[in-house]
Amino acid sequence: MVKGWAADITPLYDKEIYIKYFERLPRFRKEKAMAQADPLKRVQSVAAWSLWEKLRKKYRLPKETVFNLSHSGEFVTVSYTHLRA
């Protein structure tokens, strides 16, 4: 089964909120966000990973969970599937 969530990224337009979320990212994700020339794409990158981490922790998803991050305009989405043995 595939499950999916969406989130509005506009709160991250506030510099203080953006920094709070950015600082929680792993290094590779910070680098990916900073490589984006467009500020909107940086916010989308930070928001998508932050949503994924929130869901991973909330549902105690294992590292091998298959997931996808996406974004469009002011929304990001996360979908995942985990096949249990």
Side-chain angles (χ1 to χ4, degrees), residues 5-55:
W5 285 262
D8 180 349
I9 67 169
T10 56
L12 275 75
Y13 291 165
D14 179 298
K15 187 176 180 176
E16 289 181 25
I17 295 172
Y18 176 84
I19 290 169
K20 177 181 164 184
Y21 279 83
F22 181 83
E23 288 176 349
R24 294 179 184 167
L25 297 177
R27 183 174 15 159
F28 79 92
R29 198 65 193 196
K30 287 178 182 176
E31 291 170 356
K32 180 176 177 89
M34 293 308 297
Q36 303 299 320
D38 181 354
L40 175 62
K41 293 190 184 299
R42 283 196 295 271
V43 171
Q44 290 170 332
S45 181
V46 170
W49 189 262
S50 297
L51 179 58
W52 167 237
E53 284 295 305
K54 181 177 181 177
L55 294 171

